[in-house]
C-alpha cells in the first residue's frame, strides 16, 4: 500500500538519521500505528523493532525524547496487548536497565554525600522498587 511505501522510504531512514526531529517522528509513528493497525505492524514489525532498538539507547538521557518513546510504547501496548511483550522486549529491557542504572547513580551520589555504604543501599532500594504488593481485604 501507499502508506507502507511512505513508511519504508521516509520514516525509517529519518528516524535513524534525524534525531533532532524525534518528537515529530514519534508522533508520526503513533499515527501509523493507529491508522495501519495490525496489518501495518505485521508488515513492518521487524523494521519498527530494529529502528526503535537502535535509537532508544541514544534518547534515554533526554527527558523529552524519553517521554515521547514511552508514549509510543504505551500506544503500541494498548493496540496490541498480546504481541507487545515479545515485540518490545529488547526496548523495554534497555529502558528498565537505564532506569536502574540511573537509580543506582543517584543512590551512589546521595550515599557518597552522607558517607554510607554505597552498594548496600543501592541494592536495597532496587529490591524495594520491585517488591510485590499484595492487596488484602
Amino acid at each position: 500500500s501507499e502508506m507502507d511505501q511512505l513508511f519504508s522510504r521516509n520514516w525509517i531512514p529519518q528516524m535513524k538519521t534525524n534525531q533532532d526531529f524525534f518528537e515529530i517522528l514519534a508522533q508520526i509513528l503513533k499515527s501509523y500505528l493507529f491508522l495501519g493497525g495490525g496489518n501495518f505492524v505485521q508488515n513492518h514489525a521487524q523494521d519498527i523493532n530494529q529502528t526503535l532498538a537502535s535509537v532508544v539507547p541514544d534518547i534515554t538521557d533526554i527527558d523529552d525524547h524519553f517521554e515521547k518513546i514511552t508514549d509510543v510504547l504505551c500506544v503500541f501496548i494498548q493496540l496490541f496487548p498480546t504481541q507487545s511483550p515479545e515485540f518490545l522486549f529488547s526496548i523495554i529491557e534497555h529502558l528498565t536497565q537505564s532506569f536502574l542504572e540511573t537509580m543506582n547513580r543517584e543512590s551512589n551520589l546521595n550515599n557518597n554525600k552522607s558517607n554510607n555504604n554505597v552498594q548496600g543501599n543501592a541494592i536495597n532500594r532496587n529490591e524495594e522498587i520491585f517488591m510485590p504488593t499484595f492487596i488484602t481485604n
Side-chain angles (χ1 to χ4, degrees), residues 1-136:
S1 79
E2 190 175 331
M3 187 169 89
D4 291 323
Q5 291 174 359
L6 282 171
F7 183 77
S8 296
R9 280 194 244 143
N10 295 299
W11 186 85
I12 292 171
Q14 291 299 318
M15 186 61 119
K16 289 180 179 177
T17 59
N18 284 328
Q19 291 186 12
D20 294 340
F21 300 105
F22 182 82
E23 285 186 42
I24 294 167
L25 292 167
Q27 293 300 321
I28 291 171
L29 178 57
K30 280 176 50 176
S31 297
Y32 275 115
L33 292 174
F34 284 126
L35 294 171
N39 288 335
F40 171 79
V41 173
Q42 189 174 4
N43 291 340
H44 299 284
Q46 187 174 3
D47 290 332
I48 294 170
N49 194 329
Q50 288 174 349
T51 304
L52 290 178
S54 71
V55 300
V56 163
D58 296 334
I59 57 117
T60 52
D61 292 336
I62 305 169
D63 288 340
D64 291 341
H65 290 5
F66 183 78
E67 184 178 321
K68 294 299 179 195
I69 195 67
T70 55
D71 189 34
V72 171
L73 296 178
C74 288
V75 168
F76 195 96
I77 291 167
Q78 290 170 355
L79 293 174
F80 313 103
T82 307
Q83 299 89 345
S84 292
E86 183 180 338
F87 180 78
L88 299 173
F89 179 80
S90 63
I91 297 163
I92 293 173
E93 179 182 39
H94 175 79
L95 293 173
T96 303
Q97 183 178 3
S98 178
F99 170 76
L100 291 175
E101 288 171 0
T102 301
M103 292 292 293
N104 280 333
R105 272 194 306 269
E106 289 180 15
S107 177
N108 289 343
L109 289 173
N110 291 336
N111 288 334
N112 284 339
K113 289 178 184 176
S114 62
N115 294 325
N116 285 338
N117 179 350
V118 172
Q119 289 188 342
N121 287 338
I123 291 169
N124 288 339
R125 283 197 182 144
N126 287 339
E127 288 174 358
E128 290 173 11
I129 292 171
F130 294 103
M131 291 297 293
T133 304
F134 300 99
I135 300 173
T136 58

